Amino acid sequence: MRTLFALCAAAVTAFPSILSAETMPRDVMFSDHGEVAESLTGVPGNPEEGFKTATTKSLGNCVACHVANGWKDLPFPGNIGPDLTGVAHRYDEAHLRGILVNSKKTFHETVMPAFYNVDDIIRPGDRYTGKPAKSLDVTILTAQQIEDILALLMTFNEDH
Amino acid sequence: MTTRAKKTAVLAAVMTVGFGGAAMAEPDLDAKLVINDELEMTTIVEPAPYLDGALDQVISGWHFRDAATRAMEMDDFENPAMNFVEDGLAAWDAVDGTEGKSCASCHGAIEEGMRGVRAVMPKYNEEAGDLWSLEEYINDCRVNRMGAEAWNWDKTPMKVMTAAIGVQSRGMPVNVAIDGPARPYWEQGKEMFYARTGLLQMSCASCHEENYGNYIRADHLSQGHLNGFPTLRLKKGSLVSTHNRLFGCVRDTRAESYPKGSAELKALELYVASRGNGLSVETPAVRP
């Protein structure tokens, strides 16, 4: 029984894409303008989870570079990128997903990181240790975390 | 205006709406750095031609710090790093190793023997046939001339010594050589400066050239010069070595960084130092 359980657990870690029908980073389809129409997971995003991911340093860390009314209570948001307040009015869902997956498809050479991408990484490292990456398949965010932040951004209307 | 400057202006306007603008003072470029009321420092210079217009002005990191931090650097009694300099001065006179010698045995008074040394480091060492940082010269003397152990580049004995040697060049212009045998190292360092490393795919230029004056979270980005190193980090109460800072900035792009003392970081050190040629040596500068 124990062995069976352990095997199942291993299978889940090894093949998450098969079990959840998740799109792998290299399989994401972009339009010419950098939009990604299809959900990466088929599971609707959760804006509360999205808020946590967007404001956690080791995850999205969007707050390092963006001001937004959506996180106006957090101290010292950065100003490398534009204010995200009202961003759901400026872009549709497909475009926001594309910007999150790989903003470089929308903004050529932008300093904004590509959050769901494994290509063109020079000297990939293991988190913030300075050591070599343990796996080359690591993305900054998971597919579901992208969908969660997307759900959060979709609430960023005029005043939010 | 450069694209970056335009972007900054636009962002500044955005910020005034978004965050009241209060905490977002641009660097105070009118402030003057005079140390102990007598030593006038050059903190803004015209960029060297080899920067190809990448910067409008070369600005010392001092301008990007808040007024209280800036003030600490203006008075040696207020500058906490001067305690470490004292330790370095004591070590200069201390006998160490099997040869029974101190640094002073050969170099004499540090004020004379080491004046101007920091301003030209790193530099090509003819005899070794390689680019050497200040730390390498120090360890060479310790190991080969004193019979003493090499110091770790990132540990206190080395940091206090580089601070004590550095302060002997305070006020002199940074003047690293980039031509002749130093050229290939400089080219390597330049390539590293513009390489977008790590999972974040950011280069030194992403932060210190395109975004200086902006904030990344609470950090006010400077142009990333080395003229104040080793610097005192107030948060840690200790000195930060040149290679510690460079290692950390590469690491923070979620990249595999380069070991402190490695050939790569020395090349990067040379290139970064050359961007600040003309600024006064400020060792030991104070940082938050």
Side-chain angles (χ1 to χ4, degrees):
Chain A
M1 185 63 207
R2 268 179 80 135
T3 332
L4 186 65
F5 181 78
L7 281 173
C8 286
V12 173
T13 3
F15 309 109
S17 58
I18 294 170
L19 293 180
S20 64
E22 212 171 74
T23 310
M24 299 313 274
R26 290 201 173 95
D27 299 333
V28 178
M29 301 283 286
F30 287 89
S31 76
D32 289 348
H33 303 288
E35 295 134 323
V36 175
E38 294 266 317
S39 164
L40 302 178
T41 61
V43 179
N46 172 339
E48 278 97 58
E49 283 303 315
F51 180 85
K52 279 188 227 153
T53 309
T55 58
T56 301
K57 182 166 188 265
S58 57
L59 296 173
N61 203 18
C62 319
V63 65
C65 292
H66 292 285
V67 174
N69 271 353
W71 48 72
K72 65 174 185 304
D73 294 334
L74 295 180
F76 304 118
N79 66 345
I80 307 289
D83 188 339
L84 295 183
T85 306
V87 79
H89 278 284
R90 301 198 286 280
Y91 299 92
D92 62 16
E93 191 181 64
H95 209 164
L96 285 175
R97 184 183 289 109
I99 291 173
L100 288 172
V101 170
N102 188 348
S103 54
K104 285 154 179 77
K105 307 266 185 189
T106 299
F107 311 108
H108 188 56
E109 300 206 330
T110 182
V111 300
M112 176 163 157
F115 287 96
Y116 194 63
N117 166 60
V118 292
D119 291 320
D120 304 318
I121 309 293
I122 303 172
R123 299 183 71 81
D126 178 18
R127 293 160 294 141
Y128 290 99
T129 63
K131 301 204 173 85
K134 294 191 179 115
S135 156
L136 298 183
D137 294 330
V138 174
T139 50
I140 303 173
L141 297 177
T142 65
Q144 193 56 44
Q145 285 170 332
I146 298 280
E147 294 298 327
D148 290 343
I149 296 184
L150 178 60
L152 172 74
L153 293 186
M154 292 309 289
T155 70
F156 285 9
N157 294 306
E158 269 145 293
D159 302 324
H160 201 74
Chain B
M1 263 204 295
T2 62
T3 14
R4 196 211 65 86
K6 268 189 222 129
K7 204 171 127 207
T8 313
V10 172
L11 285 170
V14 170
M15 290 310 304
T16 322
V17 182
F19 202 69
M24 300 294 161
E26 282 290 297
D28 183 352
L29 298 184
D30 295 327
K32 292 270 177 289
L33 176 54
V34 181
I35 291 178
N36 300 334
D37 287 327
E38 55 182 26
L39 184 58
E40 290 186 20
M41 311 287 271
T42 303
T43 55
I44 300 178
V45 288
E46 288 295 305
Y50 50 76
L51 285 186
D52 293 329
L55 299 172
D56 292 343
Q57 288 179 307
V58 173
I59 307 168
S60 163
W62 180 78
H63 283 285
F64 296 85
R65 313 292 36 119
D66 64 25
T69 310
R70 288 203 309 265
M72 278 189 203
E73 201 180 310
M74 301 179 74
D75 182 343
D76 282 351
F77 287 107
E78 299 290 325
N79 185 340
M82 292 316 282
N83 291 324
F84 294 113
V85 168
E86 291 296 328
D87 293 345
L89 295 176
W92 179 263
D93 289 319
V95 171
D96 196 2
T98 55
E99 304 302 303
K101 290 194 161 76
S102 71
C103 315
S105 311
C106 299
H107 292 285
I110 194 169
E111 292 80 6
E112 282 128 48
M114 292 292 124
R115 186 166 164 73
V117 169
R118 168 66 172 78
V120 298
M121 295 284 178
K123 68 175 182 184
Y124 184 77
N125 181 321
E126 291 287 348
E127 241 171 83
D130 200 3
L131 182 76
W132 274 21
S133 301
L134 179 57
E135 286 87 345
E136 242 160 334
Y137 282 95
I138 294 172
N139 272 340
D140 181 49
C141 285
R142 286 186 53 80
V143 173
N144 297 319
R145 297 194 172 98
M146 296 169 68
E149 273 177 25
W151 280 327
N152 182 312
W153 287 35
D154 212 18
K155 291 269 158 64
T156 304
M158 183 60 96
K159 290 191 287 180
V160 300
M161 183 58 79
T162 56
I165 291 176
V167 81
Q168 310 308 327
S169 300
R170 200 162 56 167
M172 298 172 73
V174 175
N175 185 24
V176 294
I178 67 162
D179 287 324
R183 193 71 187 187
Y185 301 94
W186 185 83
E187 298 285 358
Q188 182 190 354
K190 179 177 179 184
E191 208 175 299
M192 289 170 71
F193 192 90
Y194 288 102
R196 301 189 61 159
T197 56
L199 244 60
L200 301 187
Q201 294 177 298
M202 293 177 90
S203 70
C204 314
S206 305
C207 284
H208 295 299
E209 187 171 294
E210 291 173 48
N211 280 296
Y212 69 83
N214 289 332
Y215 286 80
I216 190 151
R217 199 75 205 250
D219 290 325
H220 197 184
L221 284 170
S222 74
Q223 294 180 343
H225 294 300
L226 289 172
N227 58 318
F229 278 80
T231 56
L232 183 103
R233 272 311 280 283
L234 291 168
K235 210 168 18 180
K236 297 193 173 147
S238 60
L239 292 173
V240 176
S241 69
T242 303
H243 281 215
N244 184 296
R245 181 80 241 189
L246 296 179
F247 176 93
C249 274
V250 178
R251 174 199 61 207
D252 289 350
T253 66
R254 293 186 64 166
E256 175 187 359
S257 199
Y258 311 93
K260 295 154 199 166
S262 63
E264 289 93 343
L265 281 197
K266 286 191 287 171
L268 184 61
E269 179 189 350
L270 174 64
Y271 177 71
V272 176
S274 80
R275 292 172 69 96
N277 265 352
L279 293 175
S280 296
V281 173
E282 287 178 31
T283 310
V286 184
R287 298 291 181 255

